[in-house]
Amino acid sequence: MPSAESGPRTLYDKVFSDHVVNEQEDGTCLIYIDRHLVHEVTSPQAFEGLKNASRKVRRPDCTLVTVDHNIPTTSRKNFKNAADFIKENDSRLQCTTLEENVKDFGLTYFGMGDKRQGIVHIIGPEQGFTLPGTTVVCGDSHTSTHGAFGALAFGIGTSEVEHVLATQTLITRRSKNMRIQVDGELPAGVTSKDVVLHIIGVIGTAGGNGAVIEFCGSVIRGLSMEARMSMCNMSIEGGARAGMVAPDEVTFEYLKGRPLAPKYGSAEWNKAVSYWSSLKTDEGAKFDSEVFIDGKDIIPTISWGTSPQDVVPISGVVPGPDDFEDENRKASCKRALEYMGLVPGTPMKDVVVDKVFIGSCTNARIEDLRAAAKVVKGRKVAANIKRAMIVPGSGLVKEQAESEGLDKVFTDAGFEWREAGCSMCLGMNPDILSPKERCASTSNRNFEGRQGAQGRTHLMSPAMAATAAIVGKLADVREHVVASPVVRKASPKIDVQQPVADSPQTEDDFDRRRRQEHRSPPFTTLKGIAAPLERANVDTDAIIPKQFLKTIKRTGLGTALFYELRYTDDKENPDFVLNQGVYRNSKILVVTGPNFGCGSSREHAPWALLDFGIKCIIAPSFADIFFNNTFKNGMLPVVVSDEVALQKIADEARAGREVEVDLINQEIKDAQGNKIVAFEVEEFRKHCLVNGLDDIGLTLQMESKIRTFEAKRTLDTPWLDGSGYLRRDRRGATMVEAAPVPKTNRGEVTNEPLEW
Ligand SMILES: CC(C)[C@H](C(=O)O)[C@@H](O)C(=O)O
Ligand code: SF4
C-alpha cells in the first residue's frame, strides 16, 4: 500500500516525495532522477533506442559512465585502448559500443585508461556523485548500494535506462516501508557482510519484495560508510529493490573533499548538510513490516547453497531437506546439495575450497582489502588453493591499497593482485570457475553457474574469505586471527576538477522527441500452451546466464532461455519442460513457486522469454525489477497468489491444454473459456499494454512539468546540477552540455587527448 503522505514520514517517504514530478490517480508517479550511472552491459540497446528516435541524453551533467563487467582484470601496464586490449569478441564489442555511445552523446566516461574506472557502485560514492537525498539509478540491481548515503537508489532495466537517458525521470509507484533494526554490539570477527547475510537468512530472498528497507539501530550507526554500502548492496538479495541508511556525521565525513560533493566549508556544503540532516524517519512513522535483530546473536556467516538465503553460521553444519518445513524449500535444498556437492550434516569447517575471490561491488572497497590483508599478513595461501584473487573495486582503491603496502601483503602470501572490475563475481570476463570448483567469495550471489558453469560459490566476508585462503577450507576467522579493535581509517579521496566543453541543444529537438510512439504490439488477450515450471526463486541468472548478456541487441535470445537447465553439454535435456512436445510452442509460463525473476536487473531475461514465444508469466509472486521489465516489453506478468487457483492453472498446463489470459477483463480462463481466476493489474500499465504505448513518448508530453521541477531543484539543491568535472553551462531551464572527461594518465591528472 502507498505510504501516508501526511503525518510522520519515513526516510524513504521523504526522499520519494521530494522527487515526484507528477502523480496519477492510480498511484503511478513520474519521479525525477538525480544521478544516473551507466555501464556497458545494460546500455547498448538503450542508446540504440535513443538514436532510432533521434533523442538526446537530457542530463549529461547527471550521468556518469564506466566499463566494469566485461573487462579483463589483467595488468594494464601496456594498455592503449579497449579495442586492442579486450580479446574476447563480444566483450570487446560491448565495451567499444559503449565508447562510441559516450562519444556520440557527449557523456563523462571513465574508461580503462582512467584510474577512476571501477565497478559502477564503487565509483559513484568514491567520486561524491552519490549524495544523500538523491535518487540514483543504474541498469544494475546492486544500485541499492548507494542507499547507504540516504539516497533512494535502485536498479532498473534497459528500457528504463533509455527512459532516464531521454527524460531524466522514471515511471514508478510508491514502495512499502520495511525497517530492519540491528541493535546491541557485534562480536569480534563479525562484519557488516555477516550482518547482511544473517538478515537475508532471516527474511529470505523474497522478504523485502515490494519494499524499501531502512537499516537502523546502534549496530548500523556504528558502521563505516563502506560497511553500510556492503549492507545496502545486498538489500536486493533480500528482495528489496532499495536499502537505505539515514545520513549522519559518518556520511558527511565520508563526503568531505569528494570531487563531486559540494565543496567542504562552502555555503553550499552547509546548506546541503542542513538538508541532509533532515533526512531521517520521523518519530511515530509507520512501517509496513519490521524486523529486530540483536547484534550479539550474529556469528560469522556463510552460504552453503545456491540462493543467498541459504546461510549458516560458520560453526554450523550443512543442512538437509528435513530441516525445512516448506515443500518448496525442501525441494530447493535437495537440488542445491546436489549442485554444491555437499552432504547434510557436514561441518561447514570441513568443506575444502579450490579458489578464493575477494572483490565485487559488495566487498572491494579499501576497508575490505584492509580486513583481508590483516588476516593474510605474514601467512601463505594453502597449497590446495588453485587460485586466490584480489580484485580492487576501482583504480583509486587499488592505488590507495598500494600506497598502504597491501598489494605486497597479498602477493607475498600468494594472492594475485588484479585490476579493477566485476571479475569473478559473475565471470563475464575470463575470470571464472571451472565446473565443480568451489570458491570462497566475497560477492553477493551464489546462484547456479554464477561464477562459471557448474561452479560452486560460498558467500562470506573478506576476512572470512582470506581465512579460507590461508586454511584451504571454509574457516572461522575468529579462530585464526587475534581480535583487535577496528581502527577506522579514512577512505581515499581525490579532488579532480576537469575542464568541460559546450554543445547546444535546441527546442526543436524537444518537439521531435515529443512524439508518442507505439513500440510493442498491443496485448489484449493471449491464448496458448502454458508450460508448467515447478520451482521457487527462479533467478535471472537461471533465466539467462551471463555469457548471453554480451549482445548489443534485444533479439535472438530465445535459444539462450534457461540455457543451463535446457541443455547439458550443449545437448537438449529431455527432462526440461520447454524441450518437451507441445511445450516447445508455449506462449505462457506457469510458475508454481514464489519470487520468479529474482536477482539481476538484466532485461535480457524478458527478452529471452519473448524471443522464445512466451509473452505472459503467471506466478504467485515476482521480483520487482523483473516484473517491471516485462511490462516494458509488451509482456504481462500475472500474480496469482491463491494457491488453489494457481494449481488449477498449473493442472491445465500439465495436461498440455491451452490457457487464455484475458487482459481486458482481467481473467484467466481454461481452453473452453471458463474463468479460473480474476487478476489485478495496475491501470496505467494495462493502458500501456493494451495500446502498445511507448512510455518515453508519454513522459515527454510532461515536458513542462519536468522543466518546472528542474528549475525548483536548481534553487533548492543547486549542488545537484552537474558540479566539478560534470559542470555544464545551462541554457534556459534545461540542461545540457556534453563533454567527455579528458583521460587521466593512470595516476596523474593531465590534459592529454581524450581516450578515444
Ligand atoms: C549485468 C547486470 C544486469 C547484473 C545486475 O543487474 O545485477 C549484474 O551486475 C549482476 O550482478 O548480475
Ligand atoms: S554484483 Fe558483481 S557483476 Fe553485478 S555489479 Fe556488482 S560486481 Fe558487478
Side-chain angles (χ1 to χ4, degrees):
M1 289 306 289
S3 307
E5 269 300 283
S6 53
R9 294 183 305 159
T10 65
L11 166 62
Y12 164 70
D13 295 337
K14 291 184 184 180
V15 179
F16 189 93
S17 301
D18 283 352
H19 289 85
V20 175
V21 174
N22 186 55
E23 183 157 10
Q24 297 178 31
E25 270 180 18
D26 74 342
T28 303
C29 295
L30 186 70
I31 61 165
Y32 198 78
I33 300 302
D34 296 314
R35 297 287 179 255
H36 190 189
L37 289 152
V38 176
H39 66 64
E40 80 277 17
V41 182
T42 49
S43 63
Q45 298 84 352
F47 285 116
E48 187 187 38
L50 288 189
K51 283 181 180 167
N52 289 344
S54 308
R55 290 172 177 146
K56 292 189 177 175
V57 174
R58 185 178 179 89
R59 297 296 302 251
D61 64 324
C62 298
T63 309
L64 187 58
V65 188
T66 195
V67 268
D68 51 7
H69 284 69
N70 275 278
I71 55 173
T73 54
T74 45
S75 166
R76 291 184 205 157
K77 277 210 183 86
N78 300 320
F79 177 82
K80 287 198 191 70
N81 56 55
D84 291 338
F85 192 77
I86 304 174
K87 299 288 170 248
E88 208 274 325
N89 289 341
D90 293 341
S91 292
R92 186 176 55 245
L93 179 63
Q94 213 163 51
C95 294
T96 52
T97 303
L98 181 70
E99 298 198 336
E100 271 164 34
N101 284 326
V102 290
K103 225 191 316 177
D104 293 349
F105 289 93
L107 302 176
T108 304
Y109 171 59
F110 295 169
M112 290 174 73
D114 189 321
K115 68 174 178 175
R116 296 167 297 178
Q117 175 270 334
I119 305 173
V120 74
H121 310 306
I122 302 230
I123 67 167
E126 198 167 70
Q127 293 295 317
F129 185 67
T130 307
L131 293 170
T134 52
T135 43
V136 182
V137 296
C138 173
D140 197 285
S141 55
H142 287 100
T143 310
S144 57
T145 312
H146 310 258
F149 290 79
L152 172 58
F154 53 92
I156 55 178
T158 298
S159 297
E160 291 179 314
V161 169
E162 185 181 337
H163 193 283
V164 176
L165 289 170
T167 69
Q168 204 60 31
T169 63
L170 205 59
I171 299 170
T172 187
R173 298 171 72 84
R174 286 192 163 75
S175 300
K176 287 187 268 185
N177 280 290
M178 179 174 194
R179 173 155 65 185
I180 299 188
Q181 185 164 342
V182 192
D183 279 329
E185 254 179 64
L186 296 180
V190 176
T191 67
S192 57
K193 181 68 168 283
D194 302 299
V195 178
V196 73
L197 285 172
H198 177 90
I199 288 172
I200 296 163
V202 171
I203 67 172
T205 49
N209 277 5
V212 169
I213 297 176
E214 179 173 344
F215 295 105
C216 63
S218 57
V219 164
I220 309 297
R221 289 279 139 243
L223 295 177
S224 66
M225 284 314 293
E226 271 93 345
R228 292 179 190 181
M229 283 188 248
S230 303
M231 291 204 52
C232 289
N233 173 279
M234 289 195 71
S235 314
I236 184 76
E237 271 64 55
R241 227 172 149 187
M244 295 176 91
V245 176
D248 58 11
E249 282 307 320
V250 178
T251 322
F252 310 149
E253 192 54 42
Y254 178 96
L255 287 169
K256 282 181 190 165
R258 303 260 159 207
L260 299 176
K263 196 163 183 309
Y264 175 60
S266 66
E268 204 163 74
W269 169 267
N270 294 337
K271 186 175 177 195
V273 169
S274 105
Y275 168 59
W276 296 342
S277 306
S278 72
L279 296 172
K280 28 170 105 56
T281 292
D282 297 329
E283 199 60 42
K286 290 250 173 331
F287 284 87
D288 300 280
S289 58
E290 297 192 55
V291 176
F292 292 89
I293 286 172
D294 192 337
K296 77 170 174 350
D297 296 340
I298 307 176
I299 288 174
T301 301
I302 51 174
S303 70
W304 58 268
T306 53
S307 160
Q309 69 188 3
D310 296 343
V311 292
V312 280
I314 181 66
S315 50
V317 298
V318 176
D322 295 343
D323 295 319
F324 301 96
E325 278 172 19
D326 178 77
E327 286 305 321
N328 276 321
R329 286 220 62 187
K330 274 187 199 298
S332 311
C333 174
K334 213 165 144 241
R335 189 182 159 87
L337 290 173
E338 212 171 287
Y339 181 87
M340 294 295 289
L342 292 173
V343 175
T346 310
M348 291 307 290
K349 285 190 271 187
D350 286 356
V351 176
V352 177
V353 169
D354 303 305
K355 286 188 175 163
V356 176
F357 169 65
I358 298 182
S360 88
C361 58
T362 317
N363 283 127
R365 297 179 183 81
I366 188 67
E367 272 192 19
D368 301 313
L369 303 193
R370 287 180 190 143
K374 196 167 138 202
V375 174
V376 166
K377 196 166 185 170
R379 296 172 164 159
K380 292 278 178 222
V381 168
N384 64 298
I385 300 289
K386 297 184 204 158
R387 193 173 183 195
M389 304 167 75
I390 310 278
V391 186
S394 71
L396 293 180
V397 170
K398 180 166 187 271
E399 184 181 66
Q400 174 73 20
E402 286 169 357
S403 77
E404 294 177 21
L406 306 187
D407 55 329
K408 187 90 179 42
V409 171
F410 290 121
T411 49
D412 283 353
F415 278 87
E416 295 172 35
W417 181 245
R418 316 280 296 186
E419 295 279 344
C422 294
S423 179
M424 204 191 270
C425 173
L426 96 165
M428 278 186 78
N429 76 346
D431 306 336
I432 53 168
L433 296 181
S434 300
K436 305 209 167 154
E437 269 181 351
R438 192 178 296 285
C439 182
S441 176
T442 64
S443 53
N444 41 49
R445 289 182 175 149
N446 51 347
F447 301 142
E448 287 183 21
R450 171 78 183 176
Q451 296 191 288
Q454 293 175 56
R456 296 164 172 169
T457 304
H458 293 273
L459 305 174
M460 63 195 74
S461 73
M464 289 282 285
T467 313
I470 303 302
V471 176
K473 294 180 189 175
L474 299 179
D476 189 338
V477 61
R478 299 169 304 173
E479 292 163 12
H480 297 271
V481 181
V482 184
S484 63
V486 179
V487 182
R488 197 179 284 159
K489 287 200 217 158
S491 301
K493 287 178 192 180
I494 295 216
D495 205 332
V496 190
Q497 300 290 331
Q498 303 286 352
V500 294
D502 284 2
S503 84
Q505 191 170 41
T506 65
E507 274 293 310
D508 288 352
D509 297 330
F510 275 120
D511 292 337
R512 223 166 347 114
R513 282 180 282 151
R514 217 172 269 145
R515 285 190 311 251
Q516 181 175 316
E517 284 172 12
H518 290 249
R519 237 175 18 179
S520 315
F523 187 123
T524 48
T525 288
L526 178 72
K527 191 171 179 185
I529 292 294
L533 188 68
E534 326 253 355
R535 278 170 188 257
N537 296 314
V538 177
D539 58 77
T540 48
D541 280 68
I543 300 174
I544 183 162
K546 58 183 137 266
Q547 63 269 33
F548 302 105
L549 307 188
K550 299 184 184 187
T551 173
I552 56 170
K553 298 282 167 209
R554 292 172 197 250
T555 48
L557 291 171
T559 45
L561 179 68
F562 291 118
Y563 190 82
E564 303 293 343
L565 299 168
R566 251 165 95 200
Y567 304 97
T568 315
D569 298 330
D570 288 339
K571 286 204 193 70
E572 274 194 4
N573 168 9
D575 296 335
F576 190 68
V577 63
L578 297 183
N579 293 333
Q580 299 166 352
V582 289
Y583 300 120
R584 289 180 185 276
N585 299 318
S586 306
K587 291 190 181 160
I588 299 165
L589 192 67
V590 184
V591 189
T592 55
N595 200 24
F596 185 81
C598 58
S600 130
S601 68
R602 56 191 75 172
E603 200 163 313
H604 310 69
W607 294 337
L609 284 157
L610 198 57
D611 199 60
F612 181 88
I614 292 173
K615 255 190 113 176
C616 172
I617 304 112
I618 301 171
S621 62
F622 292 88
D624 296 342
I625 307 180
F626 176 84
F627 190 71
N628 255 334
N629 284 343
T630 49
F631 282 107
K632 305 284 174 196
N633 289 281
M635 300 165 70
L636 176 65
V638 181
V639 176
V640 177
S641 42
D642 172 352
E643 179 60 27
V644 178
L646 185 65
Q647 282 307 330
K648 263 196 195 155
I649 303 166
D651 282 344
E652 296 302 303
R654 289 181 195 114
R657 287 192 289 268
E658 288 192 329
V659 168
E660 186 179 343
V661 180
D662 176 350
L663 174 58
I664 305 293
N665 296 307
Q666 296 181 211
E667 285 179 353
I668 297 180
K669 302 173 185 162
D670 66 16
Q672 278 72 48
N674 302 314
K675 172 177 161 186
I676 304 178
V677 69
F679 63 87
E680 298 287 320
V681 56
E682 288 156 26
E683 214 175 288
F684 178 70
R685 293 195 198 263
K686 179 174 172 181
H687 172 72
C688 289
L689 271 188
V690 169
N691 297 294
L693 294 179
D694 160 33
D695 53 15
I696 299 182
L698 292 174
T699 297
L700 285 171
Q701 293 175 353
M702 301 262 179
E703 175 58 27
S704 72
K705 286 199 171 185
I706 300 174
R707 283 183 185 220
T708 307
F709 184 95
E710 283 174 329
K712 185 165 183 311
R713 187 182 93 137
T714 298
L715 284 178
D716 293 349
T717 50
W719 57 88
L720 296 181
D721 289 332
S723 65
Y725 52 78
L726 291 176
R727 192 183 302 279
R728 304 288 192 272
D729 287 338
R730 294 166 58 75
R731 279 162 214 274
T734 50
M735 61 262 139
V736 59
E737 299 323 327
V741 172
K743 175 182 177 183
T744 57
N745 192 16
R746 295 201 59 72
E748 220 184 305
V749 180
T750 72
N751 287 327
E752 288 176 21
L754 302 180
E755 186 164 293
W756 36 84

